[in-house]
Amino acid sequence: MSANSVLLDFSLDPTRINDEVSRKDIVKLCKEHLEKYISGLKITYDMLTEDGYLCILNAPGAVITTIRFFNQGLITVNIEYFRAESEAPKITFEQTRELENSLVQNLKLNHGQSLPTLQRGPITKYFPTADERVIEYDIDKVLYDKRSDFQKIQIVHSKSLGNMLVLDELQNIAEADLIYTETLMRRGVENYKDKEICILGGGDGALLYELLKEEPKHVVMLEIDDLVMEACNKYMNSICGDVLEKRKSDNYEIVIGDCMMYLNKFIKEGRKFDYVFGDLTDIPISDTPTGEIWDFIRVILESSFKVLKPDGKFMTHGNGVSCPESLQMYEDQLEKLTPKVNFTKCSAFVPSFMEEWVFYQVQRVPEAAASV
Amino acid sequence: MSANSVLLDFSLDPTRINDEVSRKDIVKLCKEHLEKYISGLKITYDMLTEDGYLCILNAPGAVITTIRFFNQGLITVNIEYFRAESEAPKITFEQTRELENSLVQNLKLNHGQSLPTLQRGPITKYFPTADERVIEYDIDKVLYDKRSDFQKIQIVHSKSLGNMLVLDELQNIAEADLIYTETLMRRGVENYKDKEICILGGGDGALLYELLKEEPKHVVMLEIDDLVMEACNKYMNSICGDVLEKRKSDNYEIVIGDCMMYLNKFIKEGRKFDYVFGDLTDIPISDTPTGEIWDFIRVILESSFKVLKPDGKFMTHGNGVSCPESLQMYEDQLEKLTPKVNFTKCSAFVPSFMEEWVFYQVQRVPEAAASV
């Protein structure tokens, strides 16, 4: 079941409103055109607003249409009704487009736009890109839905992406996202054979699974949220294999806990790695590199270099290419880091993000060069 | 400028409405939470609907919120206000998500969803996938906007896709779409050297441009809409080069007219091709393979085989993998075709479509085999 929202909008020369094109004309025309699809429309309410006019039309079947005029030269039309799974839409997208075109042509409006019908209900289908554009996913099932002490965890099924992990209502990784893991680890570029590796986060198990194929000496993974691993082990085996089945094996260990605590323990013990993977939070989208998350990012970077061998690498994901300001802020933090580091970056289109994503490889500047 | 629409929805056990969770409670709580971001909210109207209840809240700055209760167990909240280019949003997506979470937790609702703020106005940003899901594009400019005798033609600029041709409000091809043309022509699989080729449609010039790199003997392109070529020649040179600059050259000719008329002319003349490209309309999304467009598709296929050499190939684009029924209908048409044909297909993720697209290669069954 869903509440269907059919949204149209129009723009016109603002001087035409109230004059050549009266509100009444448009409401009358909307009503006439809508009646091709929805019968029995009646205006039940209208009001003047600070910047225009609003009117509500009601039709049998509880189809409620709101028409709003903005004196700045915009009109929005929102049609909303309940639709059971088995019911046909009361107005199709094709009909919405017809309605839009006939209004634009009849009223000589500058521009019209119709959105595909939004389906609002118990299955979340709408997720944002990094730059907060809306993307509707072809999600047809919720397979797992629990709240852990740390976050809301869902596994949903997408027709095109397979099962997808959703954390706090943000798309995280899908079965179609091998490219994400391969770009994060730079498969074919980096050599992991016989290396010591530490993963910070990585609860979906995909990175651990792919790294183990490269025959490293040992991987330790520090993940705080047991429930994420439970969910992925049940529904995401095509990307994590069976690595989440057990906590310890000859060549890997999964430690459940706060990665900062364990990093500090490793620092004290003098334990060193060839690679540390930051598979934690994304680079935040913010105006300044301040606040709790940025502090966390800086501490993670500093601590990681304390457990990295001199030529060790810190590998991490950044954010979408659509957020150059945030990526720049992250690079600024890298510039200021002690020890002095260099970085390279690369990017890949990640299917479940529906956009190009940036990944960083950070390495200590050799002592000799740093002192110059 | 845009009308910003902030949409939230919630689901709850329908038996709880009017009882444990009263409409009044929810409206009161929504109001309280909204007031963190929008001050001075007042209920200006409410009504019982056939399937629930609707109420309108008005706030200074003409921020109008509609809350609707569906007895089936859904609540929708729509916040709408005008926003000038220079203005900050009145409620950010982060705040919308906070509002959603606090309502879900305070009222113990089953589920909540917040959409990234929709921006409705003179620049069309929302386009559908083949299965009518909404995708918001990062479009920031309209470069060309004209209506020809055949269609509405726009060239818009997307930050991630470059310039994009939009025909009748549907995304057609973008500068980032080389993969589309290369998959349509199966670059590296088919050999076009010294071949005779006919393109039906193809007004964006991309296919002609890429084919000419393969040194064919001659390409004739039959495009009905001069204005599409004018627009692409001005704004899409990274995908069409300079092939639309002139109508005729040593190795190609662009004919402006109805491709059916010219195909019939070629049939009469006995002119034959090694390849015919159907770069016209997509396979329609319909319940049955009937109607004007399906008739057109069948006639195009039949006529194309009349101008193809016995071992010639008809190459065309289909539709999104998300529409298996429509693709199946097309394949059924191929099965019924005279002469008898075989087909192969392949697919590629087309950046500007934001989905995997299917392409067909159709070839006559050799006489000997067909008669068995």
Side-chain angles (χ1 to χ4, degrees), chain B residues 122-152:
Chain B
I123 298 177
T124 297
K125 298 187 176 192
Y126 304 91
F127 294 98
T129 58
D131 54 342
E132 292 188 0
R133 287 178 288 118
V134 65
I135 306 279
E136 180 176 347
Y137 286 70
D138 51 358
I139 290 166
D140 53 5
K141 263 185 297 222
V142 178
L143 301 168
Y144 184 97
D145 192 349
K146 279 190 188 170
R147 196 174 279 276
S148 74
D149 293 341
F150 310 100
Q151 55 204 336
K152 185 174 160 188

Side-chain angles (χ1 to χ4, degrees), chain B residues 28-41:
Chain B
K28 197 169 151 258
L29 257 165
C30 268
K31 200 164 158 284
E32 274 173 32
H33 284 273
L34 272 170
E35 270 170 349
K36 285 188 209 162
Y37 315 108
I38 299 158
S39 57
L41 281 165

Side-chain angles (χ1 to χ4, degrees), chain A residues 50-280:
Chain A
E50 250 179 74
D51 58 3
Y53 169 79
L54 173 89
C55 104
I56 294 183
L57 291 89
N58 198 349
V63 183
I64 293 181
T65 303
T66 314
I67 304 178
R68 186 167 171 188
F69 289 73
F70 296 88
N71 291 337
Q72 298 90 343
L74 287 178
I75 302 165
T76 57
V77 178
N78 304 347
I79 306 166
E80 203 166 291
Y81 63 90
F82 179 85
R83 186 174 149 214
E85 212 64 57
S86 56
E87 280 175 330
K90 291 195 198 290
I91 176 167
T92 65
F93 181 48
E94 207 183 327
Q95 291 169 335
T96 308
R97 283 165 46 99
E98 277 168 24
L99 173 65
E100 176 210 324
N101 277 317
S102 55
L103 284 172
V104 166
Q105 281 171 30
N106 270 296
L107 291 166
K108 298 193 177 59
L109 301 174
N110 294 351
H111 171 267
Q113 170 172 225
S114 346
L115 273 71
T117 303
L118 303 175
Q119 291 166 57
R120 301 157 74 188
I123 297 177
T124 297
K125 299 185 176 193
Y126 304 91
F127 293 99
T129 59
D131 55 343
E132 292 188 1
R133 287 177 289 120
V134 65
I135 306 279
E136 180 176 347
Y137 287 69
D138 51 358
I139 290 166
D140 54 4
K141 264 186 297 224
V142 178
L143 302 168
Y144 184 98
D145 192 349
K146 279 190 189 170
R147 195 174 279 276
S148 74
D149 293 340
F150 310 100
Q151 55 203 338
K152 184 173 159 187
I153 305 161
Q154 291 176 301
I155 310 262
V156 297
H157 177 260
S158 147
K159 288 183 220 167
S160 57
L161 303 167
N163 292 346
M164 179 163 87
L165 173 66
V166 178
L167 296 177
D168 281 340
E169 300 181 34
L170 295 176
Q171 63 279 56
N172 197 280
I173 194 168
E175 289 188 287
D177 288 345
L178 178 60
I179 188 71
Y180 176 91
T181 304
E182 292 200 320
T183 312
L184 174 59
M185 67 190 269
R186 303 231 70 197
R187 172 162 277 160
V189 177
E190 297 295 331
N191 179 3
Y192 295 102
K193 188 151 167 62
D194 300 325
K195 297 291 163 61
E196 303 238 38
I197 303 169
C198 177
I199 301 174
L200 313 177
D204 54 67
L207 179 59
L208 176 58
Y209 182 54
E210 295 304 328
L211 282 171
L212 290 176
K213 294 179 185 171
E214 311 270 322
E215 300 175 27
K217 185 171 169 196
H218 191 264
V219 186
V220 59
M221 178 172 124
L222 311 174
E223 167 61 49
I224 204 166
D225 199 339
D226 204 6
L227 272 192
V228 169
M229 294 193 280
E230 176 193 287
C232 292
N233 190 34
K234 193 156 177 193
Y235 294 107
M236 304 286 283
N237 295 106
S238 76
I239 63 161
C240 66
D242 61 355
V243 296
L244 300 174
E245 267 299 316
K246 44 187 178 181
R247 288 289 131 80
K248 206 170 172 166
S249 173
D250 288 350
N251 52 355
Y252 74 91
E253 183 178 2
I254 298 171
V255 181
I256 298 165
D258 177 0
C259 69
M260 268 317 302
M261 205 183 85
Y262 285 91
L263 274 179
N264 286 332
K265 184 170 164 278
F266 295 160
I267 293 169
K268 259 191 210 147
E269 293 169 359
R271 189 165 169 184
K272 297 283 180 186
F273 298 93
D274 297 290
Y275 291 93
V276 173
F277 281 90
D279 198 7
L280 300 158

